Amino acid sequence: MDSDEFSTSPVPLERSIPWWKIALTNVLFSICLPTLITGLDLGIAAPRRNFLSGIIVGSLILTFIGILTSVLGSRTRLSSYMLARIAFGTHGSTVLNLAFAVSLMGWFGVNINLFGDAMARLLVALWGYTGPIWPVELLAGLLMTLTTLVGLRAINALSVIVVPVLAVVCLLMLLESLKQGSVASILGRAPLAGMSFGDTVSSVVGGVIVGAVIMPDTCRFIERPHGAVWTAVLTYFVSNVIVTVIGGVAALATGRVEILNLMLFMGLGAGAFAIVLGGSWILNALNLYSAALSIGVAVPRSRREITTLVAGLAGTLAAFLQILDHFLTFLFYLSIVFVPIASIIIVDFFLLRPAAYAGAALESIKPVETAALIAWAGGACVAVLGSAGVLRLTGIAAVDAMLVSALLYGALRWRPAAAVSESV
């Protein structure tokens, strides 16, 4: 078992993983139930023009952000939480990283709940099983935790098996839908009015943008930046567009508005089983992997194996006790307030302080970076207000938050060239 996932140090070049394996792992962010459900919802709510253009534009935004964060991870070979430590300072990032860990552990538990609910329905439909579902949830939590304990290489190995299966399931769903007519004729059934273009784009971006923010966690194992670029393109443009469109086409073709009912109606019960099991397994393993990394950076003396085990058990226990139902809103807001962190790190690395992310500078990180904390607070406020519908700039709350944080951080840290040369 690999006990060193390099939580607080750069990944050595000799520990690199081929980019296509990393890409397969990240593609799971698209080939999964949440993306299909997004497509289904958009198909029945958005006019045809907004449906197609909104998916493309939303995916382009995700791709742009994903390219920046992926290249950042590949060039620095540091996790997103170590990058936050450099940008915000050793003390400034501790609370952020611990809060991010709580968020990821919470979503780990939420996904187990969703997995259990879906499996209960599938077991009844496929095999007539009506017994207790908690043993299935417990086994799922243990499998996800054990996979994470082994490390990213185990998650990659699982992805090589699971992703092609899920891709075939999506293809079968499309073929079943095309029995009702061509894609053009099916999309012609979309409502003439409904969800606006801005709301369509926001739905596409908002659902998976946290995944784009933490791309460095996996892409730091990619040796060359061009592999990181391809990973982001395949994840957030190619795969995301195709799967979301398939979801919308399937919904319009069948008139079904619930994904499991739709797949069972199409005779794809085994496919639904594969997506629920395979998708949940890898996505939750990635959630737990990132949670363990964030705790490892916040508490450097912690052991990854113990941290992973405790976090996995805590998330599974929370799912069993059904306490997650009471703070889903809290988890939602906790997730979106972390999105501005990525824009601060991007501006810091690409425009302001690239030298701070390599070499001896890693040993002399400041305790607190005030400018980063102020910029993050401003972006977090915009994220919360935007999600509540109080403040809208671009119409996409997460993008608004990132733009505000980036501009505010740049303004706070910018110094005229003359002042820089004098200080040198």
Side-chain angles (χ1 to χ4, degrees), residues 137-189:
E137 291 182 330
L138 178 61
L139 180 60
L142 289 174
L143 284 175
M144 296 165 186
T145 302
L146 289 174
T147 303
T148 311
L149 276 172
V150 177
L152 186 61
R153 291 181 182 274
I155 300 174
N156 285 332
L158 186 61
S159 299
V160 172
I161 299 172
V162 172
V163 172
V165 173
L166 301 191
V168 170
V169 172
C170 289
L171 177 61
L172 291 175
M173 182 184 297
L174 178 62
L175 293 176
E176 287 294 321
S177 300
L178 293 179
K179 292 179 180 179
Q180 305 297 319
S182 66
V183 171
S185 65
I186 292 173
L187 290 178
R189 305 174 191 177

Side-chain angles (χ1 to χ4, degrees), residues 10-95:
V11 175
L13 282 175
E14 62 269 18
R15 297 298 298 274
S16 296
I17 297 174
W19 73 264
W20 63 269
K21 290 187 177 181
I22 301 294
L24 278 177
T25 299
N26 285 282
V27 160
L28 253 295
F29 286 117
S30 299
I31 308 180
C32 59
L33 277 179
T35 309
L36 284 171
I37 292 171
T38 297
L40 183 149
D41 290 340
L42 295 179
I44 60 176
R48 176 177 177 176
R49 178 180 296 179
N50 291 350
F51 173 76
L52 292 173
S53 61
I55 290 174
I56 291 173
V57 171
S59 297
L60 282 172
I61 292 172
L62 287 168
T63 303
F64 176 70
I65 295 170
I67 286 175
L68 291 177
T69 55
S70 299
V71 170
L72 181 55
S74 177
R75 287 179 59 177
T76 64
R77 305 188 72 81
L78 296 169
S79 72
S80 54
Y81 313 101
M82 191 62 192
L83 295 172
R85 185 180 179 88
I86 297 169
F88 289 83
T90 54
H91 299 328
S93 65
T94 297
V95 174

Side-chain angles (χ1 to χ4, degrees), residues 111 178 267 295 324:
N111 286 332
L178 293 179
I295 295 173
L324 297 165

